[in-house]
Amino acid sequence: MAKEASLANPSLPLHEVLESEFIALHGELRADYPISADPSVRLESICSAIHGLKEKRAALCLSGGGIRSAAFGLGILQGLARCRLLDKFHYLSTVAGGGFIGSWLIAWIHRAEGGLLGVVWQLAQPDDAILYAKAPEVWSLRAYANYLNPKVGLFSADTWRLIATYFRNITAMSLILMPLFAAVLTIPWLFTAILMIKPTPNTTIPLWVGVLGVVVGATYVGVNLPSTNAPQSS
């Protein structure tokens, strides 16, 4: 249904995307649909067709944040399953860390006996012992979610490795930032030293030349940022 994007503008218009999605999910559009009308008319028509569906659609969206987001998303999925809501969604949208748990859920649904309903039943189990026996996928995700410190305990190698990594990063950042701070603090000393020279040199002109140079440099950087010159898509 969707037309091929032109080379000049590779993005597809919103109304074409929604029309293709509608056909894939609900069958053909109605006979009087204005397929050859203006894009704004088509967009209004497809939105009306979507909102006119008897069964309202809902989407489950899982945001990013690495493995922490995946572990958090697991708790959300279990809560929805226990409230008998997980099988009520029609769409699944994920990004970054949410994609870990989203792809894991889709793969499990595809392979499990009973499909979605079977997975929902196993996710809804409250007892960890039952969960371990019936849903090893969930148990494995929980077991490896603590990736920064897998083996907890004051005397474990992982704990001391985490502490050493923390202080190493703090030291590295200090070595980068401290010279910058020191350079900034020397500016008043240098200016005072110049003023103490006899006879006192003319510091007004160099000062304003420096200010003008900073303004010109900042303006040049701002004008040449990639985002300011990016072509606007229709």
Side-chain angles (χ1 to χ4, degrees), residues 143 145-154 156-163:
N146 191 17
Y147 67 99
L148 289 177
N149 188 18
K151 185 178 290 186
V152 297
L154 181 60
S156 70
D158 290 332
T159 299
W160 286 101
R161 177 187 56 80
L162 178 62
I163 294 174

Side-chain angles (χ1 to χ4, degrees), residues 166-228:
Y166 173 80
F167 283 104
R168 180 202 64 184
N169 294 341
I170 290 294
T171 303
M173 291 300 297
S174 300
L175 292 175
I176 295 173
L177 297 177
M178 289 305 294
L180 176 62
F181 294 152
V184 172
L185 292 175
T186 58
I187 294 177
W189 292 359
L190 294 175
F191 195 71
T192 303
I194 294 174
L195 292 178
M196 294 300 291
I197 296 175
K198 301 295 185 181
T200 303
N202 187 351
T203 57
T204 305
I205 295 177
L207 176 63
W208 287 110
V209 169
V211 171
L212 179 62
V214 172
V215 172
V216 172
T219 304
Y220 179 82
V221 171
V223 170
N224 289 277
L225 286 175
S227 58
T228 59

